[in-house]
Amino acid sequence: MGIVVGAYLLVINLVGFGFMRTDKLRAKQKKYRIPEQRLFLTAILGGSVGILAGMQMYRHKTKHATFFVGIPIILAVQMVVAGYMLGRLLIES
């Protein structure tokens, strides 16, 4: 089970990172952009680290309060939930 979760998190974070790169390139070229809802959904589904890394690497969406505040909040909540779940697993085993 752990390897499946790890593989999922790797893939969703690579997708999030790729979305930020693609959206930045499209913004520069004034082309169709990736909707912000899709970026947030990717973060909520576990890709918050990839989105955050993409924000920093590509300097993209870093001036948008919804992103520079929202994405770290999503990541913090995910870390609390993961810590709680890990604690429960350790207690039960």
Side-chain angles (χ1 to χ4, degrees):
M1 174 99 157
I3 196 156
V4 173
V5 172
Y8 170 78
L9 289 173
L10 176 64
V11 169
I12 194 72
N13 280 287
L14 288 173
V15 167
F17 187 80
F19 276 172
M20 294 306 283
R21 178 182 183 276
T22 300
D23 196 52
K24 177 67 174 194
L25 293 174
R26 288 180 181 177
K28 285 183 175 181
Q29 298 168 353
K30 302 204 185 305
K31 290 185 176 179
Y32 177 77
R33 307 279 301 280
I34 296 173
E36 289 186 355
Q37 287 179 332
R38 185 169 301 150
L39 298 174
F40 272 104
L41 180 61
T42 302
I44 290 168
L45 293 176
S48 56
V49 171
I51 294 283
L52 194 58
M55 285 174 61
Q56 297 303 311
M57 177 164 278
Y58 300 111
R59 296 183 186 168
H60 188 52
K61 303 276 189 196
T62 56
K63 294 183 180 178
H64 296 255
T66 54
F67 278 86
F68 80 76
V69 172
I71 298 300
I73 288 173
I74 291 169
L75 177 57
V77 169
Q78 289 171 337
M79 291 173 66
V80 168
V81 169
Y84 174 78
M85 292 172 68
L86 183 59
R88 295 287 296 172
L89 276 173
L90 293 174
I91 290 170
E92 291 176 6
S93 61

